[in-house]
Amino acid sequence: MASMSSHIAWSHFFPLVLGAATPLLHAQTPTTPLPDIVVQSGRLVQQQFDTPGSVYAIDADTLRSSGPQVNMSDVLNRVPGVVALNRNNYAQDVQISIRGFGSRAAFGLRGIRLITDGIPASMPDGQGQASTVSMTSTDRVEVLTGPLAQLYGNASGGVIQTFTREAGDKPEAQVQMYAGAFGMTRTDWQISQRTGQVGLIADYSTFATEGYRANSDARRQQLNSVITVDVQPDTRFKFIINVFDMPYAKDALGLTASQLATNPTQAGTGAIDARTRKAVKQEQTGLVMEHAVNRDLKFQTRVYGGNRTNLQYQAATATNPTGAWTGLTRQFEGMGLQVNGKAHVFDGQRMNWVVGTDIDHAQEQRQAGNAAVGEKTDTTRNELNEASNRDFYAQANWSLGERYTLTTGARQSHVTLKSRDDVPISGTHPDNGSGSVNYTATSPVLGLTWHAQDNLNIYINQGKGFETPTMSEAAYTLLTPSTIKGQFNPNLLASRSKHLELGTKWRPSSNTRVDAAWFQIKTDDEIVTVRSSGGKTAYANASQTSRDGFELALRHQYDSHWRGHVSATFMNATYAQGFSNFVNGTTNNVSAGNSLPAIPKRQLLTSLQWSEKGFSTAGQKPSLGLEASLELISRSSMWANDTNSTTANDYALAPGYAQLNTRVRQRYQVGPARVEVSVGVDNLTNKEAISSVIVNQSSKQYFEPGLPRAWIVGVQSQIPL
């Protein structure tokens, strides 16, 4: 492993980037211009080209062509500034970070906000699960990075929003079936129907895999349904029902460097004996109402609620020699109100504005204990954790003449974390696990856009953000340098960040678009691992960090048959201040200048697509005939721990790699039905790679191997009803 270096992977970059970009210098007359896209710019809706920040949209065709639509990482790697790592471990979800925020997450999402159909999928403390998004019925994904994301409150280092497709004018059924390497199967059934003013999308999907590694098979199923009711031309109700059921996902755990070199298909130490696995079930409902008072004033309200159960069995440790278990039962609910308006100020200059409030609450019963051979033997922990927020926000875009737009905004946030110890008080267990802590922050944003030309915008903006610890991060307290106790830690501070972004958006022609941004982020009181031992991790505020980088997105429609895409990120994320942590009794010094783990310094995705009959315009069904694509994904090396160690017994550097993926699709018209047959191969050249890392893993089992060459075939059919 140590002989693999990041520059090897990057030697593949430049020929392919040059090949994709060369047509820009010799552009043909466009036959299919790139569409204008409307996105969420902070809390305001506007054309993507005019947004004073980095916003990227992924359309339905890109989602469908990515494959079986199981993991968000399959499409999020197209977005500059986003690191989306597929663990190939469905017990821990994909690992997603945006400009470095969220990279420390051992499971699920941290530090970024996830919103589905206007309903938060992240809890008030910043925890979220990407797996609950129904990718098969998603019509669009938007990713907001930079200072504007701070208008979404706590832990909004970036914002990912997904939108379910709406019912068409004609009733239709859709069926998808996929099969792939390592026992992967995927099915999906959808119905789309509109009756009068009522539209229905109902989507049921299943997924199963035997897994590439030992102890890595998983099963899950999901229902996503959206009903829209246009009771009046100016009033719409949207009802959302989402059910996610994963009866089991076995956890292969990570591998040490030596285990990885010996056999990447093996499970981590103790996984099979302890039958490590996770079971999850979540049910959520929501209602969004939109009402237009007139063309210049609109209201939106939302209410939602749901429950989630999570049961996880962990491997044996020194403190739990036969294994352990953790169970969470969560109830969550919330509501919000938002008012959008337009006005004329400053002698008739235009202003778009929004004000709103969010109130969210989640509580979960956290239980834990010892296990033997993957079954509970006792209960040693029982407590009620709560997280809530009450936020107010406002944003305004002010037109200053024809060439300038001023963006202002702020969010006032109040977040509360509570814990109540429900284990009976005794001599061996005093009531010392209860407590609460409040966090208050104001997150201002200020930006200016110069509309230099009709096809060129240059913007600068800055803002402040904050991130509280999650309830999982506050679940353990470091009593002494050698002792971690499972009790609520109210002493963690929220980390505070300052964001600066300078960017440009350029359309040299109707079929070419270039977005570029430079950013700098300074964070105080970064939440870091202070001790990890026996499967327990305690956190502290121990450091300042610095993130700066450059992002580039280039899209070009060569002609109606060819198009290309390039997305590149160059980022340097380091600790600006040193600190010490403790791992299994050893004190480690983290030096200033060390790299933050799980963040590659360089990342690139470039793709080339061809369509026999020509690509359809936005909003239309894809053309019949043959389509093919070739995609290169490459990342430089990344660290798996804070100390950036490369010793023989603590090797924590995941080398860089480059991987080729290809897809071929053929669409037919068979009577009234449209049928699509697809074949894909990931990792075409069968390169060895580490797909993700487990940050600061106490047993040094940092590495989760990527898949070797893997095939997938699929059949989709759309049938009018």
Side-chain angles (χ1 to χ4, degrees), residues 526-532 538 540-546 573-583 586-597 639-645 650 652 695-696 702:
E526 184 81 32
I527 299 171
V528 299
T529 299
V530 69
R531 180 172 176 80
S532 182
N541 303 98
S543 185
Q544 297 175 339
T545 62
S546 174
T574 60
Y575 288 108
Q577 184 181 44
F579 63 98
S580 297
N581 62 21
F582 312 91
V583 180
T586 301
T587 301
N588 300 296
N589 294 319
V590 179
S591 302
N594 275 18
S595 295
L596 272 67
W639 294 99
N641 65 7
D642 291 329
T643 55
N644 295 178
S645 56
D650 189 12
V695 174
N696 293 317
Y702 303 119

Side-chain angles (χ1 to χ4, degrees), residues 230-284:
D230 297 300
V231 294
Q232 296 177 4
D234 54 7
T235 305
R236 160 173 281 203
F237 288 89
K238 180 186 291 186
F239 301 89
I240 301 111
I241 301 172
N242 187 283
V243 179
F244 176 85
D245 183 17
M246 184 170 70
Y248 72 87
K250 296 182 181 178
D251 190 350
L253 306 180
L255 300 176
T256 65
S258 60
Q259 289 173 329
L260 182 69
T262 301
N263 178 15
T265 68
Q266 67 181 304
T269 304
I272 294 178
D273 291 340
R275 296 171 57 211
T276 52
R277 66 195 188 277
K278 180 184 286 186
V280 177
K281 186 169 184 179
Q282 177 170 305
E283 300 173 341
Q284 179 171 308

Side-chain angles (χ1 to χ4, degrees), residues 632-656:
L632 169 71
I633 301 174
S634 188
R635 295 187 178 96
S636 63
S637 60
M638 58 184 174
W639 294 99
N641 65 7
D642 291 329
T643 55
N644 295 178
S645 56
T646 55
T647 61
N649 63 349
D650 189 12
Y651 191 86
L653 181 63

Side-chain angles (χ1 to χ4, degrees), residues 196-501:
Q197 305 305 312
V198 179
L200 167 68
I201 292 289
D203 176 23
Y204 176 76
S205 60
T206 68
F207 169 74
T209 180
E210 298 300 323
Y212 166 60
R213 299 172 58 198
N215 202 63
S216 64
D217 56 318
R219 302 289 185 275
R220 72 190 200 191
Q221 53 198 10
Q222 188 166 14
L223 170 68
N224 187 54
S225 180
V226 176
I227 302 172
T228 56
V229 182
D230 297 300
V231 294
Q232 296 177 4
D234 54 7
T235 305
R236 160 173 281 203
F237 288 89
K238 180 186 291 186
F239 301 89
I240 301 111
I241 301 172
N242 187 283
V243 179
F244 176 85
D245 183 17
M246 184 170 70
Y248 72 87
K250 296 182 181 178
D251 190 350
L253 306 180
L255 300 176
T256 65
S258 60
Q259 289 173 329
L260 182 69
T262 301
N263 178 15
T265 68
Q266 67 181 304
T269 304
I272 294 178
D273 291 340
R275 296 171 57 211
T276 52
R277 66 195 188 277
K278 180 184 286 186
V280 177
K281 186 169 184 179
Q282 177 170 305
E283 300 173 341
Q284 179 171 308
T285 59
L287 169 64
V288 178
M289 188 274 283
E290 299 173 343
H291 174 68
V293 178
N294 53 52
R295 59 183 298 179
D296 293 334
L297 185 63
K298 297 179 181 179
F299 287 83
Q300 182 190 85
T301 61
R302 63 172 173 83
V303 293
Y304 71 94
N307 60 79
R308 179 183 178 91
T309 58
N310 186 102
L311 177 61
Q312 182 175 9
Y313 289 90
Q314 302 165 322
T317 65
T319 54
N320 297 95
T322 60
W325 66 274
T326 300
L328 304 173
T329 302
R330 177 186 300 164
Q331 302 285 331
F332 55 92
E333 61 279 328
M335 61 180 295
L337 172 64
Q338 179 174 302
V339 184
N340 292 72
K342 298 179 181 179
H344 289 83
V345 296
F346 302 140
D347 296 327
Q349 299 297 326
R350 298 184 309 277
M351 180 185 73
N352 295 338
W353 58 270
V354 59
V355 295
T357 182
D358 291 326
I359 301 174
D360 306 286
H361 175 261
Q363 67 176 33
E364 61 186 21
Q365 197 73 32
R366 175 184 293 269
Q367 297 179 314
N370 298 306
V373 198
E375 297 297 336
K376 300 178 185 179
T377 58
D378 62 15
T379 299
T380 60
R381 186 173 191 177
N382 185 16
E383 62 192 37
L384 182 68
N385 299 153
E386 289 188 72
S388 61
N389 69 273
R390 299 191 308 274
D391 291 14
F392 299 91
Y393 60 87
Q395 182 187 354
N397 288 350
W398 313 70
S399 295
L400 307 179
E402 294 295 325
R403 290 299 180 185
Y404 295 93
T405 300
L406 177 68
T407 297
T408 60
R411 185 176 182 116
Q412 175 68 32
S413 299
H414 184 88
V415 179
T416 300
L417 304 183
K418 296 181 181 179
S419 183
R420 186 190 70 204
D421 192 346
D422 287 340
V423 176
I425 298 175
S426 66
T428 59
H429 187 88
D431 183 18
N432 61 357
S434 302
S436 66
V437 59
N438 295 316
Y439 302 95
T440 301
T442 299
S443 303
V445 174
L446 179 66
L448 181 67
T449 303
W450 175 32
H451 307 283
Q453 299 178 7
D454 290 343
N455 65 341
L456 176 64
N457 288 334
I458 299 173
Y459 64 89
I460 184 171
N461 57 40
Q462 61 180 347
K464 293 182 179 181
F466 79 111
E467 180 180 353
T468 71
T470 65
M471 288 302 303
S472 295
E473 291 168 341
Y476 294 95
T477 298
L478 185 68
L479 299 181
T480 69
S482 60
T483 305
I484 297 178
K485 185 173 180 60
Q487 70 177 46
F488 180 67
N489 180 6
N491 298 317
L492 285 171
L493 304 175
S495 62
R496 310 281 173 154
S497 55
K498 296 179 180 179
H499 302 247
L500 176 65
E501 179 182 48

Side-chain angles (χ1 to χ4, degrees), residues 563-585:
R563 64 187 180 191
H565 170 85
V566 175
S567 170
T569 303
F570 302 84
M571 179 162 48
N572 190 35
T574 60
Y575 288 108
Q577 184 181 44
F579 63 98
S580 297
N581 62 21
F582 312 91
V583 180
N584 285 337

